Structure formats: structure tokens, C-alpha cells
Amino acid sequence: MADLPQTMTAIEIPQSGGPEVLTPTERPVPTPGHDDVLIRVEAAGVNRPDVMQRQGGYPPPEGASDIPGLEIAGEIAALGANAGDWQIGDKVTALVTGGGYAQYCTAPAAQCLPWPAGFDAVHAAAIPETYFTVYSNVFDRGQLKAGESFLVHGGSSGIGTTAIQLAHAFGARVFTTAGTPKKCRACTELGADRAINYREEDFVEVVKSQTQGGVNLILDMVAGDYIPRDIKALAPEGRLVFIAFLGGPKAEVNFAPVMLKRLTITGSTLRAREVAFKADVARKLHRHVWPLLEQGRTKVLVHQTFPLEKAGDAHALMESSTHIGKIVLTM
């Protein structure tokens, strides 16, 4: 650490509020813990949980940095005593519990992955949050298999564009919802068999008319009044996985179809999960997904980049929901 700067530029949230509260500040460069690495950040992904944290609705877990940012890419600048096989100078992308909106950030060594061959910092930084989330919820928790049908809401989001591509690559029939014809076209270009404009069509009617009684799996980040409609859209033995509640966490639900169709309803959050869980997902991604990224069979869709000091503009864009794919900060 002797040759590293003592301070760095970071983005802090001095009080809850709109995008304008995000403030550049000077912070001490963090020191990696025993099992950590210190990364000189070159790019950091922007995600909905960052927006929720800024608004005061998603505080960081105990012990996590108060600086927002859950995914980064850059170069290892220092090593903890138990950093495994990583070396100073390695280019890595990492899932973190906070601290990403900064020039330096620590990460558990087990949650780091090498940049996929041919990737730059911007595209590497846009991988972890969505790919960890999608893989663990669609393929581990949701148990999606080749030949099954799958519906993901919010198809043009970072999660949606990732879920569409991975489900398609692993042999599922993919449905998705999106709010404009442009977004629907983008979803079909990424591999969706049918993109449903939710402003003009009923996703329940569409999937039931094009499947044998409904889809096998739904990944839902909307919830709210989508919950009873999801239940209607599922086939017998179907699975419903929640990862966010953009439409609210409550709904009035008739549970008779859940029993009659033998449905499974579950959900998860990622940020507060233990390092061992995230390390297991990292290993699966490296084994099963990194080859797809390096072969170009799936891609990371980056909508726009902003310099770190313009993090507020990046949040404003995310809240506008006009983007398709990921938003990334650069250092």
C-alpha cells in the first residue's frame, strides 16, 4: 500500500433524496482485509439498488461501505494475506456489497473474476450484479432447464437483457415484457421468442395462448399487481421467483391456483448473502457463462457511460427507464 495514494475520489450520499444528492468527496483509500483484494477501479456499474439506497430505502448491510456501487472492474492494486492466486496487476471484475462508486474499492477475493477475453473495463464492470443475480435465481433457485418456457419482466433492463440471453443460450423458450416497441425489438434481437408490450397486451393471455397452459418459470422484479397475474400465467408445477418489488411488495392473492397447480413461489436478495454463497455463484459463472461471453454467444449491453462525478446524471437516466441495458460510471 506504500505506493498508493492516501485519498481517493468517491461518491457519497449525505442525505436521502433525488439524484442531485450524490456528491463527490475525498475518502481514505481502503485497506484490503485478510481475504480481500484492493482494486483500482476503472469502471463501476449502476443498478436499481443504488437508486434505492440513495432514496433511503435500501441501507447497506452491517459492515459494508456507505459508498454506493455493487459491481466494479479494474486492476488489483493490493492483496490481503489470503487473496488466493490473484496477483497485483490482474484485471478483475467483482461483485461488492458497496463502495463501487470510488477510485479504489476492496472486494472479497472469492467474488472476483477475470475479465472475459476481449472485454474492456466498461463491459466487464457491467457483468457482476446482473449475472450473479440471474444465474443464482433463474438456474439455481428457479431450476430453469432446456426446453422449458420462461418469462422475465422488465426485459430491457440490465437484469432482463441478461436473463433473456442466458435463458436462450441454455435452450429455454423466452418470453419477456417491455414498455415500448423499441424495447420489445431489442429484446427479440437478444433472443426473446416473444416480447410483450405490457402497455398494449396482457402478458397472461399471450403466454397462455402460446404455451401449454402457461410458462414454467417467471422472474419478476415488478411484483405489486403483477403477482396474481403471474400466478395465472404459470403452468402446473411452475415456479415464480421475486428479486425486487418495483410495483410494491403487497398484493391480494387467491392461493387456490397455487395449490391446484402445485406452484412454487420464492425469492431472494443478493447483497447481504455470505461470501461463500457468492463465491459459489462466481465459480459457476466462470465455468458455464464465461465461455458464452468470450464466444460472443451472450453479450453485455451497455446503454451509456458517465464519468464518476456525473453519478447523479446516471441515476436520473436509470429513473427515467428510457435505457436499454446497463449504465456504467467511468473513472
Side-chain angles (χ1 to χ4, degrees), residues 202-220:
D202 181 350
F203 71 81
V204 178
E205 292 181 1
V206 173
V207 300
K208 294 193 79 169
S209 70
Q210 298 196 14
T211 60
Q212 296 297 314
V215 292
N216 303 112
L217 175 67
I218 297 176
L219 183 67
D220 189 345

Side-chain angles (χ1 to χ4, degrees), residues 211-295:
T211 60
Q212 296 297 314
V215 292
N216 303 112
L217 175 67
I218 297 176
L219 183 67
D220 189 345
M221 65 194 82
V222 179
D225 61 8
Y226 272 34
I227 298 173
R229 298 169 67 195
D230 288 337
I231 291 171
K232 291 180 181 178
L234 282 169
E237 307 287 353
R239 291 91 67 195
L240 173 57
V241 181
F242 291 103
I243 56 169
F245 299 105
L246 296 178
K250 297 180 181 180
E252 183 174 326
V253 177
N254 177 2
F255 273 84
V258 176
M259 297 168 64
L260 293 172
K261 293 198 288 185
R262 303 173 300 282
L263 305 181
T264 298
I265 300 177
T266 184
S268 74
T269 59
L270 180 62
R271 189 178 188 183
R273 293 299 296 270
E274 63 277 10
V275 172
F277 172 83
K278 297 173 185 176
D280 180 62
V281 179
R283 287 189 293 269
K284 291 173 180 176
L285 287 172
H286 197 235
R287 184 182 312 123
H288 301 297
V289 175
W290 251 233
L292 300 177
L293 291 167
E294 293 180 341
Q295 295 162 12

Side-chain angles (χ1 to χ4, degrees), residues 7-306:
T7 62
M8 64 179 184
T9 301
I11 300 297
E12 66 179 6
I13 306 172
Q15 71 271 337
S16 301
E20 70 281 355
V21 304
L22 295 174
T23 305
T25 188
E26 289 296 307
R27 290 283 188 95
V29 172
T31 301
H34 185 263
D35 300 317
D36 298 340
V37 299
L38 177 68
I39 298 170
R40 183 180 294 108
V41 180
E42 298 178 36
V46 177
N47 293 281
R48 288 281 176 186
D50 306 339
V51 173
M52 294 167 60
Q53 179 177 334
R54 190 204 75 228
Q55 294 170 335
Y58 192 41
E62 185 177 353
S65 172
D66 65 310
I67 297 169
L70 303 177
E71 59 183 351
I72 56 175
E75 181 177 284
I76 293 179
L79 303 168
N82 188 36
D85 295 330
W86 295 115
Q87 301 293 322
I88 291 175
D90 286 346
K91 296 285 193 177
V92 295
T93 182
L95 183 73
V96 294
T97 54
Y101 290 15
Q103 292 175 315
Y104 289 86
C105 181
T106 59
Q111 291 173 205
C112 296
L113 287 161
W115 293 5
F119 272 54
D120 59 14
V122 167
H123 290 81
I127 296 173
E129 175 67 12
T130 54
Y131 275 79
F132 274 73
T133 298
V134 169
Y135 195 91
S136 62
N137 284 286
V138 173
F139 300 101
D140 285 345
R141 183 169 293 274
Q143 291 292 298
L144 184 66
K145 299 174 180 63
E148 290 191 319
S149 53
F150 169 60
L151 168 64
V152 56
H153 293 303
S156 62
S157 67
I159 292 288
T161 55
T162 300
I164 289 167
Q165 292 183 87
L166 287 183
H168 175 75
F170 287 120
R173 186 181 182 197
V174 182
F175 296 86
T176 191
T177 57
T180 69
K182 180 180 179 180
K183 289 182 176 181
C184 286
R185 285 194 300 273
C187 292
T188 55
E189 289 170 1
L190 290 171
D193 295 274
R194 178 71 156 82
I196 303 158
N197 186 334
Y198 63 79
R199 301 182 194 279
E200 299 176 354
E201 300 178 283
D202 181 350
F203 71 81
V204 178
E205 292 181 1
V206 173
V207 300
K208 294 193 79 169
S209 70
Q210 298 196 14
T211 60
Q212 296 297 314
V215 292
N216 303 112
L217 175 67
I218 297 176
L219 183 67
D220 189 345
M221 65 194 82
V222 179
D225 61 8
Y226 272 34
I227 298 173
R229 298 169 67 195
D230 288 337
I231 291 171
K232 291 180 181 178
L234 282 169
E237 307 287 353
R239 291 91 67 195
L240 173 57
V241 181
F242 291 103
I243 56 169
F245 299 105
L246 296 178
K250 297 180 181 180
E252 183 174 326
V253 177
N254 177 2
F255 273 84
V258 176
M259 297 168 64
L260 293 172
K261 293 198 288 185
R262 303 173 300 282
L263 305 181
T264 298
I265 300 177
T266 184
S268 74
T269 59
L270 180 62
R271 189 178 188 183
R273 293 299 296 270
E274 63 277 10
V275 172
F277 172 83
K278 297 173 185 176
D280 180 62
V281 179
R283 287 189 293 269
K284 291 173 180 176
L285 287 172
H286 197 235
R287 184 182 312 123
H288 301 297
V289 175
W290 251 233
L292 300 177
L293 291 167
E294 293 180 341
Q295 295 162 12
R297 294 176 58 194
T298 65
K299 61 184 178 180
V300 176
L301 201 64
V302 175
H303 180 86
Q304 191 170 344
T305 64
F306 294 84

